[in-house]
Amino acid sequence: MSEKDFELDGWDDDEASSDAATSLTRTAARVDEEREALTEQALAERIAAAVTAVRPGLDKIPDPVDPAGTGDLTADEQKRLEACVAGIELLSTATWIAGKSLDTVATGRLFRKLPHKLEPERCYKTIEEWSEIEHGISRSRCSQLRDGWELGEVLAARSYKAPEGQVRELVPFHNKHGLKAAVGVYEMVVQAVGAEKVTAKRLRETVKLFPGDLALSDDDDAQVIAQSLAGAIKGAEPPAPKPSNALPESLKRDVDRRSVSLADRLKRGRIPRHDVLTHLLAAFVDEQAPRVFDAVLERIKAS
């Protein structure tokens, strides 16, 4: 047998080495791909878990239970309180999200090709009709949400936790003087009392202090407007107190006492104070019998 007989047909050392290297490279690439896939999967799982942890939901709010005692909150109660407060604060954010969504749908008339739920042969004609039928949002509520979202969004961007009630107090001012002016009012109140002490009542009372001829430039920054508003309040004349129509308590008691005597004279049951006042005023304006008028005249002269 010759040496040639022992040669392996088709075997080449260089070619075999190349094939082996290619195979190893492909194997390493597959390992890298699998490792990368596992890494991406783990990352995706971590992201999903984080999103689930922060996503609002009823399941995140503890069920109502009786208090643990009458003293300080326990650690568990404090934790429950914090979860509930966070849930309540979500209300403002959800309100502005709903308002902006409604306004976007309304402005673009995105409802125009949506079949009416109760009358499928036609489409919705107005945002109020669509929101009420499809989402149970009344017409007045739809308007409130649309009117307030822009101001609510800006205040939220400035890190103010302004609930809907506060924003609603500034909506008329916003409509009359502009967005920056309304933000300026809020900034001014914050500067005066601190963000934690801003209330809807404070905002309502502040707006009442501005003079009727208030003029503001929408080109100014909210901080500058806040300073202008503070100066406008200082320069405005204090509003005169509204006259009170209420009767003094002592006079009410005397009228009720005399009403009893009047009922006894007439041999009737109790005569309401309103009826007495009605007859008294009728006698006061009676020009044919001016006795009551003259009596009042003399009393005013003597006062």
Side-chain angles (χ1 to χ4, degrees):
M1 184 177 290
S2 66
E3 184 178 347
K4 185 177 180 180
D5 293 334
F6 287 96
E7 291 181 358
L8 296 176
D9 188 29
W11 178 266
D12 185 279
D13 290 343
D14 291 340
E15 184 178 349
S17 298
S18 176
D19 289 344
T22 300
S23 177
L24 289 173
T25 301
R26 289 175 178 173
T27 302
R30 283 198 300 272
V31 170
D32 288 341
E33 289 175 359
E34 292 174 358
R35 183 183 297 112
E36 185 176 350
L38 288 173
T39 302
E40 290 179 354
Q41 181 181 357
L43 179 60
E45 290 175 353
R46 287 200 297 270
I47 292 174
V51 170
T52 300
V54 300
R55 181 185 293 122
L58 282 175
D59 59 309
K60 304 290 180 61
I61 305 300
D63 293 329
V65 296
D66 293 333
T70 58
D72 294 339
L73 297 183
T74 64
D76 181 64
E77 285 181 318
Q78 185 64 39
K79 184 178 179 181
R80 294 166 66 83
L81 173 63
E82 291 171 0
C84 292
V85 169
I88 294 170
E89 289 179 346
L90 282 173
L91 181 61
S92 291
T93 302
T95 298
W96 310 139
I97 291 174
K100 188 173 184 179
S101 300
L102 286 167
D103 207 29
T104 298
V105 173
T107 302
R109 294 188 62 79
L110 303 180
F111 54 82
R112 64 185 182 273
K113 289 299 181 180
L114 297 176
H116 195 287
K117 181 180 288 186
L118 304 181
E119 303 172 34
E121 66 278 4
R122 71 175 181 88
C123 296
Y124 290 102
K125 297 179 180 178
T126 65
I127 184 63
E128 291 82 7
E129 183 183 44
W130 175 76
S131 65
E132 185 169 30
I133 297 298
E134 293 288 343
H135 301 283
I137 301 173
S138 68
R139 294 171 180 267
S140 59
R141 182 62 174 150
C142 180
S143 297
Q144 284 182 344
L145 291 169
R146 290 182 61 194
D147 289 343
W149 75 262
E150 190 176 16
L151 179 55
E153 182 181 48
V154 173
L155 293 176
R158 291 173 176 253
S159 300
Y160 293 128
K161 295 180 179 180
E164 183 184 1
Q166 292 182 10
V167 173
R168 196 181 301 146
E169 292 294 340
L170 294 177
V171 166
F173 194 86
H174 171 205
N175 294 339
K176 184 176 181 180
H177 297 286
L179 177 61
K180 289 184 179 180
V183 175
V185 174
Y186 201 93
E187 293 274 10
M188 185 188 70
V189 176
V190 168
Q191 293 170 13
V193 301
E196 70 283 353
K197 293 185 178 180
V198 177
T199 64
K201 182 178 180 181
R202 283 186 186 277
L203 293 170
R204 180 168 59 252
E205 292 175 345
T206 299
V207 171
K208 289 180 180 179
L209 296 175
F210 297 126
D213 58 351
L214 180 65
L216 298 168
S217 173
D218 199 46
D219 295 331
D220 290 335
D221 180 76
Q223 288 280 358
V224 175
I225 292 177
Q227 296 173 2
S228 300
L229 292 171
I233 289 178
K234 290 180 180 179
E237 295 183 3
K242 294 181 179 179
S244 175
N245 295 324
L247 296 174
E249 291 300 323
S250 58
L251 182 56
K252 289 181 182 179
R253 290 193 295 269
D254 289 341
V255 170
D256 291 340
R257 179 175 53 81
R258 292 289 283 167
S259 296
V260 173
S261 300
L262 183 62
D264 290 342
R265 292 276 190 93
L266 296 173
K267 296 181 180 181
R268 292 170 53 183
R270 180 179 176 275
I271 300 177
R273 185 190 307 153
H274 177 267
D275 289 354
V276 174
L277 293 176
T278 299
H279 287 292
L280 183 60
L281 291 175
F284 174 76
V285 299
D286 189 350
E287 296 181 357
Q288 302 300 321
R291 292 178 57 189
V292 174
F293 178 89
D294 293 340
V296 172
L297 177 63
E298 295 301 322
R299 282 182 172 271
I300 293 177
K301 285 181 179 179
S303 61

